[in-house]
Amino acid sequence: MKKRNYLIAGNWKMNGTLGSLREVIELDKALNNPEIELVLCLPATIIHPAVKKVLSTHLRIGAQNCHHHQEGAFTGDVSAKMLKDIGANFVIVGHSERRQAYGETSELVKEKASAVINEGLMTIICVGETEEQKNNSQTEEIVCAQVKKSMPNAANEKNTVIAYEPIWAIGTGKVPSLDDIKKIHGSIRSLLGKIKGEDVSQRMRILYGGSVKPGNAKDIFCLEDVDGALVGGASLKAADLVEIAKYAQVY
Ligand code: 13P
């Protein structure tokens, strides 16, 4: 029975200028399957120009981070309210690059996710273990603790997506075995069942991220609890993201 539509999310990270909007336009034209949702999380500087370029309803534009307050004396920061104002629909929070480089804790990630939800936007909460934690067989423990601590009380399938991104797989070309992806996605789903109840847990999407490419997307998307992908490098070119998205099918 179909419970969840696939979501293919691109994270451009700190890449892209106004000239890169041609990729957004190409992506907008390329795919038109209402059962596959696409979102491009862009640098804040090109969100609004991108929103103005998008003509279809299946492609949304998102951001990669936000401050947990709506406004105030936070030099250089951008709030969820501001992102909503310029047309963003999604906001990634808790990406490992921010957890590691800026010391963002799960408690802060939860506040950011709450801020996104309060604006009526969709949040993508990222979790994932380091290589050392994986080698110490701590993946489930670390990832489940992050999910538990990062998810606001108000989170449900309509405002929240979980992205499992093993840190050692990001930008490295390394990908966990299909069995390992299946196992951890299953663990996240059963944890969601305990926290949010069976109904929400069956409807909330769990994405895989980390070196997703056209060549490995199909096998990953076939796994039961994988509902799409959060794609970094391969999202910079519309043609690659289109190919990845074509492997997403509704079950
Ligand atoms: P890559 O797809 O480049 O490994 O990046 C994954 C990621 O960090 C997406 O948020």
Side-chain angles (χ1 to χ4, degrees):
M1 192 184 75
K2 176 187 147 187
K3 295 197 178 88
R4 303 177 290 268
N5 278 0
Y6 276 88
L7 174 65
I8 309 298
N11 174 9
W12 277 19
K13 308 190 179 184
M14 199 171 71
N15 297 290
T17 55
L18 290 174
S20 321
L21 292 177
R22 62 179 174 270
E23 299 296 331
V24 177
I25 295 166
E26 198 182 314
L27 191 62
D28 189 40
K29 284 194 213 141
L31 267 180
N32 207 352
N33 180 346
E35 285 164 341
I36 300 171
E37 220 179 315
L38 271 178
V39 56
L40 272 186
C41 295
L42 299 174
T45 48
I46 56 171
I47 289 174
H48 189 54
V51 166
K52 288 198 290 187
K53 296 279 184 211
V54 174
L55 301 173
S56 67
T57 51
H58 69 285
L59 174 63
R60 314 286 187 85
I61 301 298
Q64 302 165 13
N65 177 45
C66 69
H67 196 274
H68 56 291
H69 286 297
Q70 271 194 334
E71 58 206 359
F74 303 104
T75 302
D77 272 311
V78 172
S79 70
K81 182 182 173 183
M82 293 165 168
L83 294 169
K84 180 183 183 180
D85 186 48
I86 57 170
N89 298 114
F90 281 72
V91 185
I92 294 173
V93 297
H95 192 283
S96 59
E97 285 153 16
R98 296 204 60 87
R99 288 182 188 257
Q100 291 196 315
Y102 302 99
E104 292 191 2
T105 60
S106 289
E107 289 72 17
L108 178 62
V109 172
K110 180 177 177 176
E111 287 194 58
K112 291 182 178 215
S114 289
V116 176
I117 292 171
N118 285 342
E119 292 302 330
L121 305 181
M122 190 92 176
T123 187
I124 301 177
I125 302 175
C126 300
V127 295
E129 83 286 2
T130 63
E131 185 145 42
E132 191 186 349
Q133 290 163 339
K134 169 185 113 77
N135 291 339
N136 291 335
S137 307
Q138 289 176 297
T139 300
E140 185 175 353
E141 174 197 336
I142 295 292
V143 166
C144 287
Q146 286 177 340
V147 171
K148 239 189 250 176
K149 288 189 201 156
S150 307
M151 206 162 54
N153 294 339
N156 61 39
E157 78 281 7
K158 295 192 182 78
N159 56 31
T160 302
V161 173
I162 305 288
Y164 167 62
E165 298 203 304
I167 295 169
W168 53 272
I170 295 176
T172 58
K174 293 191 223 166
V175 178
S177 70
L178 294 175
D179 263 1
D180 282 350
I181 298 177
K182 189 175 166 195
K183 194 165 155 228
I184 188 68
H185 277 242
S187 302
I188 296 171
R189 179 112 29 231
S190 66
L191 174 67
L192 291 176
K194 285 184 203 134
I195 310 175
K196 293 285 166 194
E198 194 54 20
D199 196 43
V200 169
S201 90
Q202 288 304 320
R203 290 172 195 278
M204 192 178 280
R205 289 172 293 184
I206 307 173
L207 312 183
Y208 169 77
S211 296
V212 175
K213 309 277 178 232
N216 59 21
K218 188 178 181 189
D219 288 344
I220 296 172
F221 291 166
C222 287
L223 300 172
E224 196 184 327
D225 286 305
V226 174
D227 307 309
L230 181 53
V231 185
S235 73
L236 294 171
K237 289 269 163 268
D240 288 342
L241 200 61
V242 167
E243 216 180 317
I244 289 171
K246 280 185 181 158
Y247 293 120
Q249 358 156 346
V250 175
Y251 54 89

